Amino acid sequence: MLLNKEDTYKHRGMRKALVNLLKGKGIQSELVLDAVNRVPRHFFFESAFIEHAYQDKAFPIGQGQTISQPYTVAFQSEKLDIQKGMKVLEIGTGSGYQACVLLEMGVDLYTIEYNEVLYKRTKKVLPKMGYKAHFFHGDGSKGLEKHAPFDRIIVTAGAPLVPISLVKQLSIHGKLIIPVGNKDKQKMLRITKKDEKKLTREEFDYFAFVPLLGTEGWNK
Ligand code: SAM
């Protein structure tokens, strides 16, 4: 998959239609919509499945994992409230699609993936597409203490609880967006660190993510 693919007029047209669909579903941030408009999502699909690339749905990427639905990617990206140059940690690199959207938004991205096959694949493929991030392999439920603090943290797998390590690794005024619930559905939460002692918590819609594994995930 991925390489030796072209980004044709037809793909760009399909992407524009996807952006319009996301607008219709309530995504307003121009930074997010422009980023979605620039990332060639079909590069993440085997040739036989390319017609699925610009539909608003999740899709299997192997290893029992999925590339997130474009609406979900756009929703989480918008709720992160990104400004260019921010230092962002993504938990669950997966295919790398969400990472590309964040990179198009101008962030300095640290991304960690638990599954070694996906980690190796994505670490190789994204630079070939022109995207530069800091890639890590390991249990992201514990964050990435060595590189903390982060202005923003995004978790792209469903957690049973908000991992305390991630909250600790937020900078002051930092925001964490994370789906929390059971293995079937999770409520999207946004935690904001007002100061060292004060956090606020906002609740949004329900989503369905694959489980966040690891010490502060479902593997306790
Ligand atoms: N962001 C991805 C994308 O754009 O394709 C979608 C991610 S997929 C829905 C969730 C990913 O989280 C999977 O690749 C899974 O292996 C990974 N994951 C699960 N638990 C993890 C953990 N503790 N640390 C890091 N990655 C984890």
Side-chain angles (χ1 to χ4, degrees), residues 10-22:
K10 184 180 161 207
H11 296 123
R12 289 197 292 275
M14 288 159 78
R15 214 148 57 231
K16 190 77 202 155
L18 175 63
V19 166
N20 286 334
L21 186 137
L22 296 176

Side-chain angles (χ1 to χ4, degrees), residues 7 19 30 34-36 55-56 86 124 135 142 149-150 173 177 181 192 217:
D7 191 27
V19 166
E30 286 301 325
D34 285 351
V36 171
Q55 293 176 12
D56 189 26
M86 279 184 163
K124 196 163 91 184
F135 295 96
K142 297 184 289 186
F150 298 95
H173 305 303
I177 182 103
T192 304

Side-chain angles (χ1 to χ4, degrees), residues 37-212:
N37 200 29
R38 279 197 296 271
V39 180
R41 193 168 187 260
H42 62 285
F43 279 34
F44 297 93
F45 287 67
E46 302 280 355
S47 304
F49 299 118
I50 269 192
E51 76 275 16
H52 296 268
Y54 293 107
Q55 293 176 12
D56 189 26
K57 61 182 192 185
F59 203 80
I61 54 170
Q63 303 293 309
Q65 301 300 334
T66 53
I67 178 171
S68 298
Q69 183 182 346
Y71 174 72
T72 306
V73 170
F75 186 91
Q76 286 196 286
S77 302
E78 184 166 74
K79 293 298 179 219
L80 274 174
D81 203 7
I82 296 273
Q83 283 157 35
K84 288 187 184 177
M86 279 184 163
K87 185 176 168 189
V88 178
L89 172 63
E90 179 194 25
I91 318 296
T93 315
S95 68
Y97 176 65
Q98 170 77 73
C100 294
V101 170
L102 291 169
L103 288 164
E104 287 284 3
M105 291 169 73
V107 310
D108 179 19
L109 185 68
Y110 291 70
T111 181
I112 179 165
E113 171 57 51
Y114 210 36
N115 180 296
E116 193 176 2
V117 174
L118 293 179
Y119 157 74
K120 284 188 177 159
R121 190 202 284 171
T122 304
K123 185 184 173 173
K124 196 163 91 184
V125 159
L126 260 57
K128 288 188 181 167
M129 291 172 68
Y131 291 110
K132 292 200 180 87
H134 312 276
F135 295 96
F136 297 85
H137 173 228
D139 177 8
S141 73
K142 297 184 289 186
L144 211 49
E145 199 176 359
K146 203 174 145 200
H147 298 276
F150 298 95
D151 300 312
R152 300 289 185 262
I153 301 179
I154 171 172
V155 181
T156 69
L161 294 166
V162 177
I164 189 70
S165 300
L166 299 187
V167 174
K168 282 189 184 152
Q169 291 172 32
L170 276 180
S171 57
I172 303 297
H173 305 303
K175 294 180 201 285
L176 161 66
I177 182 103
I178 179 168
V180 175
N182 59 34
K183 285 189 178 168
D184 296 325
K185 68 171 188 176
Q186 307 88 29
K187 188 174 260 190
M188 195 66 76
L189 304 183
R190 181 166 64 187
I191 309 294
T192 304
K193 192 182 256 190
K194 296 286 181 188
D195 58 41
E196 272 310 335
K197 289 186 184 146
K198 187 164 177 224
L199 302 173
T200 59
R201 169 188 160 123
E202 295 161 278
E203 298 188 358
F204 303 102
D205 295 342
Y206 282 98
F207 291 82
F209 283 84
V210 295
L212 178 74

